[in-house]
Amino acid sequence: MPNIFTNTTAELVIQVVEAVQINKNTTIELIQDFCDISNKQASNALKLAQDLMLIKSNNNFFEPLGPLVKFISTPNDKRKASILRIALESYKPFVIFRERLSATGSVDTAAQQTKTMLDLDAHREEIKDTLISLGTYTNALFSKGGGQYDIVSSGIENVLSKIAEGATELSTSEYIIRNQIGNKSNDLDRNDIILPLSQALIRANAGDSINAVSEASRAIESFIYKLSIMLNVELSGASGINQKLAKFRSDNKLPKKIVEAAKYLGQIRNAADHGIDADPDVGEIWNIQKSTGLEYVFVTCSFIASVLERKDNGRFII
C-alpha cells in the first residue's frame, strides 16, 4: 500500500504549528479560523506537521510535540525557518530528495526517484513542489533560476546556532542534541553522553566556550570508552582523545577519515584545557571563541552519528 504524502507549503506548516503552540489542545476548526485558511489547507499542513514530528494528534485534538516548538511563536522568520530546518533533517522524503538532487542535478528526477523509493501516493509534481517549498524556506535549497535548484553548501551548524539562542533549558538543549545525532541517540547513555552534551550546548550558547568544550569532551571520552568495549579495542596506554582514537585504526575498526576528522575535537580540547600552550611558537593560553564552542558541540554530535551509522549499518557518512 502506497505511503501518504501531503502536498502543502512551508509557510502553511509554520502557520498551523504556531497556531497549535499558542492554542495547545485545539481542533482543526479553530486552527483554520486562527490562520484564516481553508479546511483543506489546514488539514494538509497539519498532516505534514505531524510527519515532521512538530505536533501530534490525539482524538482530533492537536498538541505541540517537543520543547523546540515553543520557540516558533516569534516574529523572527529566521528562527522559524531554523526550527523547520531541524525537523527536515529527520524527514525521510526530504533527505532522499536532497540526496537524489545532488546526484542527478534535476528536481524532476529527484522527485520521481523519491516517489519510487518511498512508494509515495502523490504525483511527482506535488512531491517536488512541497519539498522545494520546504527546502527554499529553510535555506537548505536555493534557486538557480529557470526551475533549477541546488543544495546550500553551508552546514547545519549555522542553523543550529540560531536554534541554540533558545537553548537555555536542559530539556530544550537535550531535544536539540538528540535531533542532531538522530534516532541512534536513544542507544546512548543519557547520563554519560547526552546530558553532558546538553549542558555543553547551554554553556556554548551563553558564551562559556571553555566549559562547553570541557563538558562535550566528557561525552566524547565516555562514548569512546563504550565504543572500545563494543568493538573490542584496547585503550590502555592511550591518554587524551586523539591517542584513543588512533587505537581504532588497528584492524580498521574506524575509517581513517572519521578518525582524522575527529582529531579536531582532541586538538580543541587540548587548547581549552591545558593552559599555556607548550609550543614555543605559541606560549600563551588559547582563547576559545563562542562560535568554536557551538561548533565543538555539533561536531561531536556529527562524529557520534557517523561512528554509529558505520558500526550499525555499514554506511560511510561524515
Side-chain angles (χ1 to χ4, degrees):
M1 182 177 179
N3 295 306
I4 296 173
F5 182 90
T6 308
N7 181 27
T8 186
T9 67
E11 289 80 4
L12 283 172
V13 170
I14 289 294
Q15 283 186 52
V16 300
V17 171
E18 187 169 6
V20 171
Q21 167 59 25
I22 293 170
N23 296 290
K24 299 301 185 288
N25 197 29
T26 188
T27 64
I28 188 173
E29 290 78 16
L30 190 149
I31 291 168
Q32 69 180 82
D33 288 343
F34 187 89
C35 299
D36 192 22
I37 57 180
S38 70
N39 183 272
K40 182 178 180 180
Q41 287 175 314
S43 177
N44 287 351
L46 286 166
K47 174 64 171 64
L48 184 53
Q50 290 177 79
D51 291 342
L52 289 165
M53 299 189 71
L54 292 170
I55 64 173
K56 62 181 179 179
S57 175
N58 184 18
N59 293 325
N60 295 321
F61 286 86
F62 297 92
E63 303 173 18
L65 183 59
L68 194 60
V69 177
K70 70 182 178 182
F71 296 107
I72 210 162
S73 295
T74 171
N76 188 330
D77 289 334
K78 289 184 178 179
R79 177 77 64 81
K80 291 178 179 179
S82 296
I83 290 169
L84 186 56
R85 173 71 184 278
I86 297 301
L88 273 185
E89 293 302 317
S90 299
Y91 182 51
K92 202 165 185 178
F94 182 78
V95 172
I96 291 177
F97 176 77
R98 182 173 57 187
E99 290 176 351
R100 299 318 304 156
L101 176 59
S102 178
T104 66
S106 166
V107 289
D108 292 311
T109 302
Q112 180 60 42
Q113 291 179 354
T114 302
K115 171 182 172 65
T116 301
M117 291 170 69
L118 296 180
D119 191 22
L120 302 178
D121 66 348
H123 189 274
R124 181 198 70 189
E125 289 298 309
E126 293 178 325
I127 295 170
K128 180 182 75 174
D129 290 346
T130 298
L131 296 179
I132 286 176
S133 175
L134 293 170
T136 53
Y137 181 88
T138 59
N139 198 35
L141 304 175
F142 72 92
S143 172
K144 299 191 295 184
Q148 299 298 307
Y149 293 83
D150 207 345
I151 297 167
V152 175
S153 58
S154 60
I156 194 69
E157 289 81 6
N158 290 334
V159 177
L160 287 168
S161 67
K162 292 291 183 184
I163 300 296
E165 294 171 7
T168 57
E169 298 177 3
L170 188 59
S171 61
T172 304
S173 181
E174 181 175 345
Y175 182 84
I176 295 170
I177 293 298
R178 288 188 181 278
N179 267 275
Q180 177 67 354
I181 295 174
N183 291 335
K184 293 185 183 299
S185 67
N186 295 324
D187 299 332
L188 300 173
D189 188 291
R190 183 171 182 267
N191 290 327
D192 291 343
I193 298 173
I194 298 297
L195 289 184
L197 283 173
S198 304
Q199 293 284 8
L201 182 56
I202 292 173
R203 290 184 180 276
N205 180 50
D208 185 6
S209 297
I210 289 180
N211 283 315
V213 171
S214 180
E215 289 276 7
S217 296
R218 284 178 48 213
I220 298 168
E221 295 270 16
S222 294
F223 176 72
I224 290 174
Y225 172 73
K226 294 176 190 300
L227 185 67
S228 72
I229 296 173
M230 288 186 283
L231 298 183
N232 194 28
V233 172
E234 178 56 57
L235 296 180
S236 61
S239 62
I241 292 172
N242 288 350
Q243 288 188 21
K244 290 174 182 175
L245 284 171
K247 295 282 189 177
F248 288 86
R249 289 298 300 131
S250 299
D251 299 324
N252 197 29
K253 293 296 177 64
L254 284 180
K256 181 178 179 180
K257 284 185 170 57
I258 288 181
V259 170
E260 292 298 318
K263 286 184 178 179
Y264 162 84
L265 300 171
Q267 296 293 353
I268 299 298
R269 193 264 186 91
N270 291 341
D273 283 1
H274 290 178
I276 296 175
D277 196 314
D279 188 330
D281 293 332
V282 181
E284 295 183 15
I285 295 174
W286 286 92
N287 293 306
I288 310 300
Q289 302 176 87
K290 179 177 180 178
S291 60
T292 302
L294 283 167
E295 289 163 3
Y296 192 89
V297 177
F298 296 135
V299 171
T300 298
C301 292
S302 296
F303 163 67
I304 290 172
S306 296
V307 170
L308 293 179
E309 190 65 31
R310 174 61 187 154
K311 182 181 75 71
D312 296 342
N313 299 324
R315 295 182 62 212
F316 293 94
I317 65 170
I318 196 168

